[in-house]
Amino acid sequence: MSDTTGNPLDDPTADPFEVAAAAAADIARLTGVDRHDIALTLGSGWGKAAELIGETTAAFPATEVTGFSRPALEGHVGTLRSVRTPKGRHVLVIGARTHYYEGHGVRRVVHSVRTAAAAGTRTMVLTNGAGGIKPTWKPGTPVLISDHINLTGDSPLEGATFIDLTDLYSMRLRDLARTIDPALDEGVYCQFRGPQYETPAEVRMAKTIGGHIVGMSTALEAIAARQAGMEILGFSLITNMAAGIQTTPLSHQEVIDAGREAEPVISSLLARVIGAL
Ligand code: HPA
């Protein structure tokens, strides 16, 4: 599906869960795998993990799947893969993220998560590149997401859908990740709308209200994953110190470069965590 024509999610009368079910049927047909066990969304810096998790049994452009959009950004690979781990588990690797700042609405943002749920997955691993507020986190540091503050003012939930978000980022899975790397720190992720980076004042606000990480994805996706009943593990790669924490201006290139540099180390960490799930 292209960005401008015929995405069924752009029809406000469409049921997003039916679109996700159609997408899951596409994935079953394209992969030959009826049910996937784990879903993994790859943010900037995490891309190499797909190769380390196991054997890729199918890979195709996300645009072959109902409701998926073209990737908006260089550095965000628009590929979906089915990977078989050594334990024989099927991992749906989502290398195509629609960001809220693209302005296509939350239904499109969380479509990959709903599709993963419709494809059978019970565990959702969300990764991203983000800015760090804790000064001890140097660029290239991977951190666990312990909770989030959704500053978008939006939600993937429609109507009076009251959903508990206690333990949204599963303590059990965070503990499991720390058995692989005991040095993993964790923090609260603040999702801003973007696409502009935050002002130093916004970063100070995020810190004051209990945030440690600033980014432009993940919180809305995590809410949709919880609605679907999935257990969630979230990882941020700190690609830069947040605005005002670092005194030099932020650039998208800096974020991409930090991701590239950290990629081998964090991807191998992620692959080991997935192997332990
Ligand atoms: N802020 C928001 N999103 C980001 C950042 C940041 O500093 N770095 C990478 N993604």
Side-chain angles (χ1 to χ4, degrees):
M1 294 284 171
S2 84
D3 247 14
T4 47
T5 54
N7 189 317
L9 289 168
D10 291 343
D11 171 0
T13 66
D15 177 342
F17 296 96
E18 277 175 17
V19 180
D26 290 339
I27 287 172
R29 175 175 49 79
L30 289 160
T31 61
V33 175
D34 280 347
R35 282 185 76 83
H36 282 80
D37 303 299
I38 299 165
L40 165 64
T41 298
L42 296 173
S44 10
W46 298 93
K48 287 264 184 301
E51 290 143 41
L52 303 176
I53 291 165
E55 183 201 349
T56 297
T57 56
F60 44 90
T63 43
E64 286 185 22
V65 177
T66 303
F68 277 75
S69 325
R70 228 174 243 136
L73 257 191
E74 192 243 330
H76 295 255
V77 191
T79 301
L80 301 186
R81 306 191 194 205
S82 183
V83 178
R84 197 168 178 280
T85 69
K87 281 190 198 164
R89 309 190 76 196
H90 297 288
V91 183
L92 180 64
V93 181
I94 302 162
R97 183 175 246 151
T98 299
H99 286 88
Y100 186 63
Y101 58 69
E102 291 172 50
H104 299 306
V106 194
R107 285 182 166 193
R108 286 236 223 148
V109 170
V110 300
H111 179 59
S112 61
V113 170
R114 288 183 172 150
T115 297
T121 64
R122 310 295 306 149
T123 308
M124 184 81 229
V125 183
L126 296 167
T127 67
N128 60 54
I133 296 180
K134 277 198 194 176
T136 50
W137 292 343
K138 300 298 171 230
T141 308
V143 298
L144 289 163
I145 301 176
S146 58
D147 202 346
H148 79 219
I149 299 174
N150 172 11
L151 295 172
T152 65
D154 214 333
S155 169
L157 309 180
E158 299 178 25
T161 312
F162 303 111
I163 288 194
D164 174 53
L165 300 184
T166 312
D167 198 34
L168 180 60
Y169 298 89
S170 162
M171 178 73 91
R172 186 184 81 83
L173 295 184
R174 278 183 275 146
D175 285 344
L176 190 142
R178 277 187 289 256
T179 64
I180 307 291
D181 180 359
L184 271 173
D185 203 355
E186 64 179 29
V188 173
Y189 180 91
C190 292
Q191 181 173 355
F192 283 82
R193 182 195 185 277
Q196 71 283 353
Y197 292 116
E198 299 72 31
T199 62
E202 287 167 341
V203 170
R204 285 197 299 276
M205 175 195 76
K207 185 178 176 188
T208 302
I209 63 177
H212 308 104
I213 307 163
V214 288
M216 305 178 196
S217 64
T218 303
L220 295 171
E221 297 166 354
I223 295 167
R226 168 50 50 90
Q227 179 187 28
M230 290 197 260
E231 194 174 15
I232 300 149
L233 178 64
F235 272 110
S236 289
L237 167 68
I238 303 302
T239 56
N240 56 278
M241 292 197 237
I245 307 288
Q246 75 174 41
T247 46
T248 48
L250 263 58
S251 77
H252 179 58
Q253 194 54 47
E254 172 192 3
V255 168
I256 299 281
D257 290 348
R260 283 223 178 97
E261 209 165 296
E263 199 155 40
V265 173
I266 61 166
S267 295
S268 114
L269 164 68
L270 181 57
R272 280 179 288 140
V273 173
I274 300 263
L277 289 176

